[in-house]
Amino acid sequence: FGSFVTAGCSGPFVSINNQSTIVEGYSLEQNYPNPFNPTTNINYALQKKGFVTLKIYDILGSEIKTLISENKPAGSYSVSFDGNKLSSGIYFYKINIGDFSDTKRMVLVK
């Protein structure tokens, strides 16, 4: 449709996940889509900066992949997971940030 200008705004409108957003607490959201094939998105939020790990596990508890293992500033984040090389089944993803930990279940259907 092209770019247009309206009352002090310009260019195409883009939604950006702003890390300066005020976040209340820590959170790990359910992945979307779920069930998925082969990719899904995982959203999480940090109340304050900290060292974050986000890992994927199989049904037996074996670690499949580390998606994140680094210091992050406070804010909201989204990470994509590609299960293309995995078989169909139930997997878990777990986040650790300081004293906070949460685990969710996801289903890969091929």
Side-chain angles (χ1 to χ4, degrees):
F1 296 107
S3 297
F4 58 94
V5 177
T6 61
C9 297
S10 65
F13 292 97
V14 178
S15 176
I16 297 173
N17 194 357
N18 189 347
Q19 293 183 2
S20 65
T21 302
I22 296 173
V23 176
E24 307 252 342
Y26 297 102
S27 68
L28 177 64
E29 296 180 21
Q30 186 63 51
N31 65 301
Y32 182 82
N34 189 33
F36 67 99
N37 177 21
T39 61
T40 188
N41 294 312
I42 300 170
N43 297 321
Y44 65 96
L46 310 177
Q47 180 179 9
K48 53 187 172 181
K49 69 179 178 178
F51 189 80
V52 179
T53 59
L54 180 60
K55 297 182 179 187
I56 308 294
Y57 298 90
D58 66 14
I59 194 77
L60 300 175
S62 299
E63 184 179 323
I64 300 298
K65 182 168 180 101
T66 298
L67 297 178
I68 299 168
S69 181
E70 61 187 80
N71 282 305
K72 293 276 194 182
S76 298
Y77 297 88
S78 182
V79 63
S80 182
F81 172 64
D82 186 345
N84 196 33
K85 296 181 180 179
L86 300 175
S87 59
S88 294
I90 297 172
Y91 294 88
F92 297 91
Y93 54 102
K94 181 177 182 179
I95 195 165
N96 286 304
I97 311 156
D99 293 338
F100 176 79
S101 178
D102 196 5
T103 304
K104 303 271 188 210
R105 182 179 78 138
M106 60 184 170
V107 179
L108 173 60
V109 178
K110 289 193 172 183

